[in-house]
């Protein structure tokens, strides 16, 4: 008889995941994806009402989630949440924002605001979660929702693109540093997905024409397009994948 290989597990039963920015859009999709494959998901965001509604909806479907009100740019508060609720087996860092402007018009305030959430908080939440994994011998998975804009440039997006390129470099360095502990660090890079964040772009005919000219598969993304990539990176199915990114961009960066 041929000794057949078997597909590694796509399940997270008994595992605990932390999803930042999980009350809306892509982050909510990530939280559901992890809960659907068996994880208990701790979801963080600033706004309590939307967060509580998201958690209630997940639990109502028989999955397991809890809410933590947190501004990830408050590093001390974030560290306390991770210490109180961890250790985690999986981190999906999705909290992110955009304040788009022409590079010559960018204010220092907008630059700092975007950099604090998209880059600085991403760095320190990775560190806090990784420390819990290392201290507890957990061979965990850290996933950042970066962007195709972490690989290309975009109109009026010098700050946002800079922050996401920073995440891409950060992830490669952390993957090198934490590989010896069995930690994996990767990004998922979506194209334009319909969420509250992108409403402004979708309402601008010039911008939507630009977007549609770039996506080879001829449609913008949906939250569901991201969920499989996150479940893959979170589970043993991807156990030799680290320091890289999965582009869910309909072919944008290929061309
Ligand atoms: P969204 O619907 O606006 O969701 C953003 C989430 O992050 C919300 O849960 C929000 O909740 C939370 N959040 C924002 N700032 C936070 C903070 N300082 N601390 C904690 N939570 C915070 O946006 P989205 O489109 O799903 O985007 C999510 C991520 O995907 C971002 O990192 C974004 O850059 C990335 N992305 C999006 C697209 C796209 O086309 N939509 C494409 C590529 C990459 P509160 O406001 O209540 O805190």
């Amino acid at each position: 008889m041929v000794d057949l290989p078997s597909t590694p597990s796509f399940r997270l039963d008994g595992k605990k995941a932390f999803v930042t920015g999980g009350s809306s859009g892509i982050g909510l999709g990530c939280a559901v994806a992890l809960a659907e494959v068996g994880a208990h998901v701790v979801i963080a965001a600033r706004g309590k009402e939307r967060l509580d509604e998201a958690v209630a909806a997940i639990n109502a479907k028989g999955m397991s989630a809890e809410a933590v009100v947190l501004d990830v740019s408050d590093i001390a508060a974030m560290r306390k949440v991770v210490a109180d609720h961890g250790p985690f087996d999986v981190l999906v860092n999705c909290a992110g924002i955009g304040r788009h402007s022409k590079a010559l018009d960018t204010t220092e305030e907008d630059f700092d605001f975007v950099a604090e959430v998209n880059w600085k908080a991403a760095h320190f939440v990775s560190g806090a979660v990784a420390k819990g994994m290392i201290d507890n011998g957990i061979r965990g998975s850290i996933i950042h929702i970066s962007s195709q804009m972490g690989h290309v440039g975009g109109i009026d997006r010098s700050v946002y693109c800079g922050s996401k390129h920073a995440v891409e470099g950060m992830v490669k360095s952390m993957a090198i540093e934490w590989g010896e502990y069995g930690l994996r660090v990767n990004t998922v890079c979506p194209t334009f997905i319909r969420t509250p964040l992108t409403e402004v772009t979708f309402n601008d005919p010039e911008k939507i024409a630009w977007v549609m000219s770039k996506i080879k598969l001829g449609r913008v993304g949906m939250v569901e397009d991201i969920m499989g990539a996150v479940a893959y990176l979170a589970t043993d199915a991807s156990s030799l994948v680290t320091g890289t990114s999965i582009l869910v961009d309909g072919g944008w960066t290929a061309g």
Side-chain angles (χ1 to χ4, degrees), residues 120-137:
K120 184 178 172 187
H123 183 100
F124 287 102
V125 75
S126 301
V129 172
K131 183 158 186 346
M133 290 171 170
I134 292 166
D135 289 350
N136 289 278

Side-chain angles (χ1 to χ4, degrees), residues 20-27 44-48 50 70-73 93-98 117-118 145-149 160 164 188-198 202 223:
T20 71
S23 65
S24 167
I26 294 171
R46 293 166 303 176
K48 181 167 171 26
R50 196 166 56 158
L70 173 70
D71 181 339
V72 291
S73 64
N93 176 53
C94 188
I97 44 147
V117 177
N118 290 9
I145 305 303
S146 170
S147 174
Q148 66 182 14
M149 293 295 161
Y160 183 81
K164 294 299 188 178
V188 173
C189 295
T191 186
F192 281 89
I193 310 284
R194 267 199 179 273
T195 70
L197 184 77
T198 46
F202 281 110
V223 165

Side-chain angles (χ1 to χ4, degrees), residues 36-251:
E36 278 181 337
V37 297
H40 173 70
V41 187
V42 178
I43 304 178
R46 293 166 303 176
K48 181 167 171 26
E49 196 178 330
R50 196 166 56 158
L51 181 60
D52 285 343
E53 283 172 12
V55 164
I58 292 172
N59 288 331
K61 291 259 183 190
M63 298 178 278
S64 180
E66 67 184 291
V68 181
V69 174
L70 173 70
D71 181 339
V72 291
S73 64
D74 181 342
I75 304 298
M78 177 279 295
R79 283 184 171 140
K80 183 162 178 3
V81 164
V82 172
D84 289 350
H85 292 265
F88 296 104
D89 301 278
V90 176
L91 164 67
V92 178
N93 176 53
C94 188
I97 44 147
R99 281 190 183 174
H100 305 313
S101 61
K102 304 219 171 297
L104 291 179
D105 298 334
T106 302
T107 64
E108 263 190 86
E109 192 210 339
D110 282 353
F111 185 102
D112 288 345
F113 187 69
V114 172
E116 287 252 329
V117 177
N118 290 9
W119 180 17
K120 184 178 172 187
H123 183 100
F124 287 102
V125 75
S126 301
V129 172
K131 183 158 186 346
M133 290 171 170
I134 292 166
D135 289 350
N136 289 278
I138 295 169
R139 299 173 72 81
S141 174
I142 293 176
I143 303 160
H144 290 275
I145 305 303
S146 170
S147 174
Q148 66 182 14
M149 293 295 161
H151 295 262
V152 296
I155 298 171
D156 298 342
R157 279 165 170 73
S158 58
V159 177
Y160 183 81
C161 282
S163 73
K164 294 299 188 178
H165 275 74
V167 168
E168 294 298 317
M170 177 193 83
V171 156
K172 291 186 179 79
S173 298
M174 288 175 173
I176 292 169
E177 213 170 304
W178 297 335
E180 66 175 293
Y181 304 109
L183 268 62
R184 300 183 297 106
V185 194
N186 294 288
T187 65
V188 173
C189 295
T191 186
F192 281 89
I193 310 284
R194 267 199 179 273
T195 70
L197 184 77
T198 46
E199 235 8 78
V200 183
T201 303
F202 281 110
N203 289 334
D204 179 336
E206 187 199 337
K207 295 274 169 31
I208 202 65
W210 165 57
V211 167
M212 293 312 296
S213 75
K214 292 285 191 182
I215 301 179
K216 309 297 178 290
L217 290 177
R219 68 169 176 87
V220 298
M222 301 176 301
V223 165
E224 286 82 351
D225 292 312
I226 309 305
M227 293 167 75
V230 166
Y232 168 69
L233 286 177
T235 59
D236 287 349
S238 60
S239 65
L240 197 60
V241 178
T242 196
T244 191
S245 57
I246 296 183
L247 286 146
V248 184
D249 71 348

